[in-house]
């Protein structure tokens, strides 16, 4: 039993780091440009489809992953220059509607190209099979790789933002937009870069998660909403908050879905009540955080 | 440019006239379309109350639409199987009466809105959008995972609920009922807008600090507005359940929240009849384009994008001049 719980816990971490890849882009775009982007889930989908398509045609999983990052970043640059940049000065209502429209366009566009049937990405041979972890846990190597990649990206983002020139500009952009453009930073290039970065991360996580599940139209939407829960819990605009929130949501969701039906069966003789509760658990967690800290765990007071 | 008042009357007459024409030329399918548009209009009026007048951008109104639908579906399913909903100190039976079921839907909508509102109104701006969206999704998962009422399959209502003095199975009679409800809701919203409550709500949207200094608590006003908004949308959900004689978790889907918002934006935010013309346009769009192409949503997306980027104010905003200044 404790081995099973340990395995589910790792699954929770794995879900958490993938959610972080989504939430990091969303929260960066919000922090720097003040934009709420519902179409972030579409970029996740674009990444997954690009990976499935390229991997199927070249036979190389690695090329598929590269394609997911490139395709999502290109799609990001495209929608940023065509649509999104007109929205920075608009109110949130316009942003929500325009990006909702983008979801409809992306989803139906993908359906027109690839049809309604799901595509599948298979785990590369080198990463197939389980490995034994200290403590005797048999755990799929691929999932472990996802955790490692997610953490690697988190460290990379941290270094990018704190140690590089463009990272300084991003931080400055979060603090005072007018000032950095007055100091001669090409703000519109910076915005495009930040948006493409977020898009690339979303595309990467789409391809990786798509390997575990399936690649289909609409796959990004539940993930998008979970990423919103992550951001609300972690604090909007905060990358550290996104990481903490994502891991918390991932673990609570996974352990809840595993343990609550078991407990409910022990207490009431039926797993149903536990299953119902576990489907609502992360939202209850979000409600709890709102009651105690409306600005999120790591957010500054609004 | 015509006065908004005349345009409003024209919209009202237009919807009624279309249904009358459809009925007397024997096109019952068109009558059903008009009913669908009317129900969507009520859902939109509900959202417009929070969004337009209260400035509360809720992306979770599908929760109320779904709750209203499920209230009707659950009551009807118990009436169909002759099993009580609750059998303890008192016995609560299911019902196939529209009056009771729609009333229950409105109460359920109010309670849900009170819960969601009390939590999400602690925040504002982008947070509020994300939180309402997330809570809406919570109800979606709840409906899917709750096996007692059909889970993913939803609930079928075998015979449309009844209303005293009407045969609700006749499409035109059902339309008349729904259209009467729409008219009452419009008149109620109009009265509320002109009441001290409506004026204070309007002021809270434009200048919360100033309202606070004269001793009105913005939170309380917003919460009341949110609850009223949820009640109206839940009523629409109840009628939608009766129209389709079927409820499913899809009513809770966040796409429904988005569509209700589209009715409001298409027609014109904070315009009394905006959601009516918006919903009618949406249904017409869906009908005409849906016949041309199974991928009609891509055209809806493009149209919506163009409207948001280039045409502010919606249909009412581009046809009518403002009666009174509303946006400060």
């Amino acid at each position: 039993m404790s081995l099973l719980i340990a395995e589910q816990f790792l699954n929770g971490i794995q879900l958490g780091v993938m959610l972080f890849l989504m939430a990091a882009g969303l929260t960066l775009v919000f922090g720097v440009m003040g934009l709420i982007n519902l179409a972030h889930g579409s970029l996740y989908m674009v990444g997954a489809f690009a990976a499935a398509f390229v991997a199927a045609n070249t036979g190389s999983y690695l090329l598929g992953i590269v394609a997911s990052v490139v395709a999502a970043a290109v799609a990001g640059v495209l929608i940023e220059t065509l649509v999104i940049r007109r929205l920075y000065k608009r109110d949130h209502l316009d942003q929500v509607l325009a990006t909702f429209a983008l979801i409809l366009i992306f989803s139906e566009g993908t359906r027109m190209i690839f049809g309604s049937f799901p595509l599948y990405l298979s785990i590369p041979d080198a990463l197939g099979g389980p490995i034994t972890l200290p403590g005797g846990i048999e755990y799929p190597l691929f999932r472990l790789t996802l955790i490692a990649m997610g953490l690697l990206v988190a460290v990379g983002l941290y270094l990018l933002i704190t140690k590089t020139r463009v990272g300084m500009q991003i931080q400055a952009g979060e603090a005072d937009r007018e000032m950095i453009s007055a100091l001669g930073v090409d703000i519109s290039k910076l915005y495009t870069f930040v948006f493409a970065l977020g898009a690339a991360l979303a595309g990467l996580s789409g391809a990786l998660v798509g390997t575990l599940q399936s690649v289909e139209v609409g796959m990004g939407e539940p993930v998008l909403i979970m990423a919103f829960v992550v951001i609300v819990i972690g604090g909007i605009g905060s990358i550290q908050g996104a990481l903490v929130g994502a891991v918390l949501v991932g673990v609570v969701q996974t352990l809840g879905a595993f343990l609550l039906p078991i407990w409910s069966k022990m207490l009431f003789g039926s797993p149903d009540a536990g299953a119902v509760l576990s489907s609502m658990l992360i939202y209850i967690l979000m409600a709890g955080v709102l009651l105690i800290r409306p600005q999120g765990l790591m957010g500054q007071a609004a | 440019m015509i006065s908004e008042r005349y345009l409003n009357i024209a919209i009202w007459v237009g919807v009624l006239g279309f249904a009358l024409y459809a009925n007397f030329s024997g096109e019952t399918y068109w009558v059903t379309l008009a009913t669908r548009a009317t129900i969507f209009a009520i859902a939109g009026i509900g959202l417009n109350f929070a969004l337009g007048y209260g400035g509360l951008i809720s992306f979770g109104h599908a929760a109320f639409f779904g709750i209203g639908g499920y209230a009707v579906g659950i009551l009807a399913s118990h009436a169909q199987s002759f099993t009580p909903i609750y059998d303890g100190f008192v016995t609560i039976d299911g019902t196939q009466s529209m009056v009771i079921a729609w009333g229950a839907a409105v109460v359920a909508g109010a309670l849900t809105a009170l819960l969601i509102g009390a939590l999400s109104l602690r925040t504002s701006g982008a947070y509020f959008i994300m939180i309402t969206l997330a809570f809406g999704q919570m109800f979606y998962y709840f409906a899917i995972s709750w096996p007692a009422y059909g889970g993913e399959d939803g609930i079928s209502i075998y015979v449309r609920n009844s209303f005293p003095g009407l045969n609700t199975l006749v499409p035109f009679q059902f339309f008349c009922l729904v259209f009467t409800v729409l008219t009452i809701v419009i008149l109620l919203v109009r009265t509320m807008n002109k009441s001290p409550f409506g004026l204070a709500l309007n002021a809270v949207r434009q200048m919360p600090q100033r309202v606070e200094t004269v001793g009105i608590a913005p939170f309380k006003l917003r919460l009341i507005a949110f609850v009223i908004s949820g009640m109206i949308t839940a009523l629409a959900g109840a009628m939608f359940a009766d129209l389709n004689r079927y409820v499913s978790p899809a009513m809770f889907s966040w796409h429904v929240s988005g569509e209700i918002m589209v009715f409001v934006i298409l027609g014109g935010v904070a315009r009394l009849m905006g959601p009516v013309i918006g919903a009618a346009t949406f249904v017409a769009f869906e009908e005409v384009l849906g016949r041309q192409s199974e991928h009609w949503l891509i055209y809806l997306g493009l149209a919506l994008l163009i409207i948001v980027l280039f045409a502010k104010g919606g249909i009412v905003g581009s046809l009518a001049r403002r009666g009174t200044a509303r946006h400060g």
Side-chain angles (χ1 to χ4, degrees), chain B residues 46-322:
Chain B
L47 177 63
N48 199 24
F49 197 74
L51 193 154
Y53 305 120
L56 308 170
I57 306 174
S58 161
F59 212 104
H61 261 54
F64 311 125
F65 196 69
I67 286 284
Y70 266 74
V72 168
I74 288 170
L75 286 168
S77 77
H78 282 278
Q80 283 164 7
S81 61
F82 301 103
T83 48
I85 293 176
Y86 176 76
D87 204 5
F89 310 108
V90 287
T91 303
I92 301 174
D93 284 314
T95 179
Q96 288 240 261
S97 149
M98 280 183 187
V99 179
I100 301 175
W102 293 4
V106 171
V107 172
L111 292 176
T112 313
L114 192 64
L115 184 73
I116 296 182
L119 284 165
S120 37
L121 285 170
R122 294 168 64 85
T123 63
S124 59
Y127 262 111
F128 184 80
I129 300 173
M130 294 185 205
I131 291 162
T132 47
L133 178 57
F135 278 130
Q137 190 77 353
M138 176 176 91
F139 282 91
Y140 175 71
Y141 286 126
F142 180 76
I144 281 184
S145 62
W146 200 20
Y149 293 108
E152 282 190 67
D153 299 328
I155 308 168
S156 288
I157 304 168
Y158 301 119
V159 181
R160 187 176 285 161
N161 291 333
S162 58
F163 193 88
L166 290 180
N167 179 0
T168 55
L169 291 171
V170 176
F172 188 67
Q173 295 201 19
F174 186 58
F175 169 80
C176 288
L177 177 61
V178 168
F179 192 74
T180 307
V181 172
L182 171 74
T183 309
I184 295 170
V185 168
I186 291 169
L187 293 175
L188 275 177
V189 167
R190 186 165 164 266
T191 312
M192 275 191 290
N193 284 341
K194 291 183 173 165
S195 71
F197 166 74
L199 295 175
L201 183 66
N202 206 10
V204 162
R205 191 192 72 238
Q206 294 178 15
M207 222 163 257
Q209 296 88 347
R210 199 175 283 181
V211 174
E212 238 174 327
T213 48
V214 296
I216 300 174
F219 178 82
K220 208 169 134 193
L221 273 178
R222 287 187 179 128
L223 187 58
I224 296 171
F226 196 72
V227 169
I228 293 172
S229 163
M231 288 161 78
I232 299 173
T233 303
L235 179 61
M239 294 191 285
F240 195 65
D242 266 321
L243 173 69
N244 298 325
R245 280 170 282 150
Y246 172 64
V247 295
S248 78
M251 285 181 80
F252 285 109
S253 149
W254 74 297
H255 278 266
V256 172
S257 298
E259 280 168 13
I260 298 175
M261 201 179 257
V262 170
F263 308 152
V264 175
I265 305 311
L266 222 54
V269 178
R271 303 284 193 160
L272 186 62
M273 294 295 273
V276 181
I277 188 76
T281 310
F282 181 89
V283 170
F285 210 87
E286 180 183 49
E287 184 59 26
V288 174
L289 284 178
R291 266 191 209 171
Q292 305 291 323
S293 155
E294 56 172 324
H295 300 292
W296 75 279
L297 281 172
I298 200 168
Y299 304 109
L300 177 71
L302 286 169
L304 181 60
L305 198 57
I306 290 167
I307 290 169
V308 174
L309 290 181
F310 304 111
K312 295 234 62 174
I315 298 170
V316 175
S318 50
L319 290 179
R321 59 174 182 266
R322 275 259 177 244

